[in-house]
Amino acid sequence: MQRPPPEEFVLKETNPHLGGGKITGDKLTSTYDLVEQMQYLYVRVVKARDLPAKDVTGSCDPYVEVKLGNYRGTTRHFEKKTNPEWNQVFAFSKERIQSSVLEVTVKDKDVVKDDFIGRVWFDLNEIPKRVPPDSPLAPQWYRLEDKKGDKIKGELMLAVWMGTQADEAFPEAWHSDAAAVSGIDSLANIRSKVYLSPKLWYLRVNVIEAQDLQPTDKGRYPEVFVKVILGNQALRTRISPGRSINPMWNEDLMFVAAEPFEEPLILSVEDRVAPNKDEVLGRCAIPLQFVDRRLDHRPVNTRWFNLEKHVVIEGEKKKEVKFASRIHMRICLEGGYHVLDESTHYSSDLRPTAKQLWKQSIGVLELGILNAQGLMPMKPKDSRGTTDAYCVAKYGQKWVRTRTIIDSFMPKWNEQYTWEVFDPCTVITIGVFDNGHLPGGDKSGTAKDSRIGKVRIRLSTLETDRVYTHSYPLLVLHPNGLKKMGEIHLAVRFTCSSLLNMMHMYSQPLLPKMHYLHPLTVSQLDSLRHQATQIVSMRLSRAEPPLRKEVVEYMLDVGSHMWSMRRSKANFFRIMGVFSGIIAVGKWFDQICNWKNPITTVLIHILFIILVLYPELILPTIFLYLFLIGVWYYRWRPKQPPHMDTRLSHAESAHPDELDEEFDTFPTSRPSDIVRMRYDRLRSIAGRIQTVVGDLATQGERLQSLLSWRDPRATALFVIFCLVAAIVLYVTPFQVVALLTGFYVLRHPRFRHKLPSVPLNFFRRLPARTDCML
């Protein structure tokens, strides 16, 4: 386990020329500074006026063709219009410019052959440069020329300038890089976009009692339960213990709801009249817009809701209005919880739903997505295959998607994005995908965007104000083994607005207060997380262009809780790695006892005698040693952000049969029913064991990270604490410390707080090696 991973799987530090500016220390001198500058020639075609008529009808159907060397872009055409307005932007990459002249031609759309109306020429050496934050270049009117160069009737309004990808026109422009893609829909599908996750709420439905139910069969005791449906989520209470027409439940049911609230909460009271037959005694639909919202644990008011009973008369549903039963409930939208839609190990956001409870941001995260190298062919095309790659980055509620680079194994994006940071102990995820929805692709409608790989970076492992430029290997586990799909080149900077605020965060609970005051069960959290990921993927897949379901699920790590022999082995060896330090201390002590090194043994004897004669020196000595060890390890602190570790994940050494099991469907596809039942039961139980083993390993790794400088701020806080504790314990009599400690541990419950203590909050925020797990 101690051997270094193969060269192809390691993180490589790079030194790109960022921002076109010079690096001064760790900072750069230009504004758009975390990416390499890419030069573009921009042409904004605004409108035309007084165009000469070309058709017999005395009008024209104009459009504009912008041509530079072998690249040409065209605007949409207008029917019978001599004063058209286009307002379209064209961007030509300077790297691919093969001509010294830009030609902008106005043409008349025709059935047989498009007629030439007029054109404008530009010498590329005369084109002005524009650097944001300069205001956009004002467009001008240009007189059209005929093919001989003579001025003719008609004018075209244009703006032509040289700029970079920092230009406001860049995201919406037609690109010469994607000249093969045509059509408004197709162009929208390859442009860079920003998406926002829907605002998620936990909905708590407390079903208390019902009154005056009317079962069909009056001669039996009704077995009544309540079924509640929200969208595709359905939950039910237990059967009421009091078998009467006034049943009581007092049960809580939890759902995930997303704004805007599109579907009402549908509630039905049902009677179990036979083992597989339920009779509906009444229904009601409650719109969520009118439901109370609470920010803390104080209960909201209960309400009685009328139940409507439907009876079928001659095949038609008709409301029965003779008598309306009632149901007593307390319904509220919980604003004090954070709705978990990501794995808790890789959360990028831990804020409560209600905006009123948010604390101010502590800094800014900037990400430059530079380029990728050596991507694998993802789609068949000719003999070599092709890849149309784009990146997705997710942090907090904001998702970003870069533009798709067409047919390239070495795409250059050079796009920069920014997020507000509210908690340093969070993770940003960057995924690379192949666009499977381009023209000429799969016409069956079953095409998917293939995953190329992803990278996770925990912010607390980054030093503030330092620019990290690394090439990350893109690793994906396939049924036939681990595969490197290429490398992605990223630039990351975490800037802190207030060091004091950030240090204070280490004493705060990781999740909002409500998670500790009214905790949800593990099974509830699992179920709610599944619902939350389904809602997020559904909403984002309805955006235009869609961020598709397979992309969202891969970014949110859906299915990471499933059983895997490989993951279980990896977690077992993580625990062994944690215990190896304790075992090493035991072996060292054994060597002391056996006088393997006489000088060390004599020194230990002297230290032992001093500590026995002066017991007040025991704790200061321990803290002083920890302080010295922490300072000693500072020289070997990690210089690189964490990345996917193939050896830690046991991805390289996985047996083919284990991989076959990991990629097997759930339930299993084995033929025998008995084998299927036993196999699924084994996987289900083993999945829970795997989680427990992983959590144990996480706690041990957090202890290790106290002095490892993996999280520089946390280690600095702990080392300073050790020094202060050593000094305070040195000047305080040991008996007083022991007495105070004993009284504190045995303190009365009224002096205890329900929220976790500061040391526990600090410990839970320490990084573990879960970030590096595949």
Side-chain angles (χ1 to χ4, degrees), residues 32-106:
Y32 207 73
D33 56 2
L34 285 188
V35 290
E36 296 181 11
Q37 269 199 5
M38 297 171 77
Q39 297 289 330
Y40 284 90
L41 168 65
Y42 288 98
V43 182
R44 182 183 289 280
V45 180
V46 184
K47 56 186 174 180
R49 67 183 177 192
D50 304 330
L51 294 179
K54 286 286 175 183
D55 292 349
V56 183
T57 55
S59 67
C60 64
D61 308 328
Y63 71 92
V64 175
E65 180 185 89
V66 183
K67 186 181 173 189
L68 183 63
N70 295 327
Y71 295 102
R72 66 180 71 205
T74 57
T75 66
R76 60 193 179 281
H77 80 279
F78 287 99
E79 299 278 339
K80 298 184 170 49
K81 202 166 186 183
T82 53
N83 297 315
E85 285 195 26
W86 293 283
N87 203 17
Q88 282 181 248
V89 183
F90 298 84
F92 297 88
S93 171
K94 192 178 179 184
E95 283 183 2
R96 302 188 183 186
I97 291 177
Q98 300 162 342
S99 170
S100 59
V101 175
L102 170 71
E103 186 180 346
V104 183
T105 310
V106 183

Side-chain angles (χ1 to χ4, degrees), residues 342-353:
E342 304 165 285
S343 167
T344 44
H345 296 306
Y346 324 121
S347 282
S348 64
D349 188 14
L350 299 163
R351 291 171 293 170
T353 301

Side-chain angles (χ1 to χ4, degrees), residues 136 324 415 509 633 656 734:
E415 295 183 28
Y633 277 147
F734 181 73

